[in-house]
Amino acid sequence: MTKILVIAEHLGGQLNASTARAVSAAVAVKPDAIDVIVLADAPEAIAAEAAKIDGVSRVLTVARAENAHALAAVLAPQIAKAAAGYTHVFAPSTTFGKDLAPRVAALLGVSQVSDVMTVEGPHSFKRPIYAGNAIVTVEVDDSTTVVATIRTASWPAAGSTGSAPVEALSLDVTLPNHTRFVGLQQGKSDRPDLQGASKVVSGGRGVGSKENFEIIYTFADKIGAAVGASRAAVDAGYVPNEMQVGQTGKIIAPELYIAIGISGAIQHLTGIKDAGTIVAINKDGEAPIFEIADIGLVGDLFKILPELESSL
Ligand SMILES: Cc1cc2nc3c(=O)[nH]c(=O)nc-3n(C[C@H](O)[C@H](O)[C@H](O)COP(=O)(O)OP(=O)(O)OC[C@H]3O[C@@H](n4cnc5c(N)ncnc54)[C@H](O)[C@@H]3O)c2cc1C
């Protein structure tokens, strides 16, 4: 019997869309049951959202004061305990899941499968390597629990017409006290979230400075897009690093991606592999970004952007 436990990601009392994407990957395994586990201090509202995800059999809640903040060291032993009886444990391949899943795998004494982009069978998965330049098929021994992170950009969010039952779970686990929550420093923005936005405008080194990046923000606001950046723009201090798109930044799959003053290095492209329409604006007609762009505009961004904006 195949049973999958999906770890819910949430913040500020709200379920993150990455959870519904991880459920889509779970559905692809064609299991007998998919349970979502919500660990929080007050999990009720989050669990109610998770219960609506199509394909979910049950939502399990673990209410503990220690779960008020997503500390991997604290959550992992509880998930390892809850995993008894499950054949698979899935977490989204976000910062949250990448922090947590290796600890769960270690506690269960298994190897982790990272960044699942395709399910070939209950124990066979495809994942990208070398910044997405090669795809490898990974087979897991069917006698061990599969602990996997799900590459969220590769999976659509499961629908939200479900009504799974919610059950409280009581776990007898001693939690570690070597790691404790001190504070959360979070970038505040009224713009759409980079990882979930349907439209993203990104700027690169070609934008030239932090001050010049205003032109990217203004354009993004005009079309209601989230703002991203290349690593070169982050390293140069034009923007904070949570805006980085790519192999060592965020992996995103917007319907529209506009790359401005970005050359198209493979490490950047791996972050937008699953984007819908890609538009590139670059003054160098030979820039590699044009090889993958659906629409390319060759020219100076400081001339093209105001023109585009005024015609919108
Ligand atoms: C292990 C590793 C991980 C990495 N991870 C990432 C990652 O996650 N994300 C990422 O982005 N990179 C990553 N990189 C870095 C990557 O290799 C590139 O260095 C980086 O993406 C380049 O950023 P860029 O395109 O902004 O800059 P550049 O390559 O310098 O390109 C700037 C572009 O702007 C154009 N330009 C300049 N002025 C104008 C103008 N006025 N109008 C129009 N166009 C203009 C230029 O023609 C050029 O094509 C990683 C590298 C390594 C080794």
Side-chain angles (χ1 to χ4, degrees), residues 203-207 229-233 244-249 261-265 267-268 281-284 287 299-302:
R205 199 193 320 254
V207 177
S230 70
R231 177 159 160 181
Q244 185 177 317
V245 171
Q247 184 188 345
T248 44
I262 292 178
S263 60
Q267 296 90 357
H268 187 80
I281 301 174
N282 197 303
K283 68 178 182 186
D284 175 9
D300 187 341
L301 71 95
F302 297 103

Side-chain angles (χ1 to χ4, degrees), residues 2-6 19-36 53-57 88 90 116 118-122 125 150 155-159:
T2 309
K3 282 181 73 183
I4 304 183
L5 186 65
V6 176
T19 311
R21 291 175 184 264
V23 169
S24 287
V27 169
V29 176
K30 300 194 180 74
D32 299 290
I34 300 171
D35 294 346
V36 172
I53 302 176
D54 293 344
V56 172
S57 319
H88 298 62
F90 281 4
V116 169
T118 317
V119 171
E120 301 290 297
F125 308 94
I150 306 302
W155 299 90

Side-chain angles (χ1 to χ4, degrees), residues 218-290:
T218 309
F219 181 68
D221 289 345
K222 182 104 185 180
I223 63 167
V227 180
S230 70
R231 177 159 160 181
V234 170
D235 288 351
Y238 304 170
V239 293
N241 65 2
E242 72 253 22
M243 284 170 60
Q244 185 177 317
V245 171
Q247 184 188 345
T248 44
K250 301 222 161 88
I251 309 280
I252 57 173
E255 286 160 33
L256 174 67
Y257 186 74
I258 307 181
I260 302 171
I262 292 178
S263 60
I266 184 66
Q267 296 90 357
H268 187 80
L269 301 186
T270 194
I272 54 166
K273 205 182 92 15
D274 297 295
T277 301
I278 297 175
V279 179
I281 301 174
N282 197 303
K283 68 178 182 186
D284 175 9
E286 302 293 313
I289 190 87
F290 289 122

Side-chain angles (χ1 to χ4, degrees), residues 152-266:
T152 48
S154 301
W155 299 90
S160 54
T161 59
S163 56
V166 178
E167 294 173 22
L169 198 63
S170 156
L171 298 170
D172 183 18
V173 188
T174 311
L175 299 182
N177 55 14
H178 52 66
T179 305
R180 65 194 163 80
F181 178 81
V182 174
L184 173 68
Q185 286 191 343
Q186 206 180 2
K188 283 206 171 26
S189 168
D190 294 333
R191 297 191 177 89
D193 172 55
L194 179 56
Q195 235 158 351
S198 61
K199 287 178 259 181
V200 173
V201 177
S202 279
R205 199 193 320 254
V207 177
S209 69
K210 189 175 177 178
E211 292 69 37
N212 286 355
F213 231 83
E214 243 355 277
I215 196 171
I216 305 290
Y217 294 126
T218 309
F219 181 68
D221 289 345
K222 182 104 185 180
I223 63 167
V227 180
S230 70
R231 177 159 160 181
V234 170
D235 288 351
Y238 304 170
V239 293
N241 65 2
E242 72 253 22
M243 284 170 60
Q244 185 177 317
V245 171
Q247 184 188 345
T248 44
K250 301 222 161 88
I251 309 280
I252 57 173
E255 286 160 33
L256 174 67
Y257 186 74
I258 307 181
I260 302 171
I262 292 178
S263 60
I266 184 66

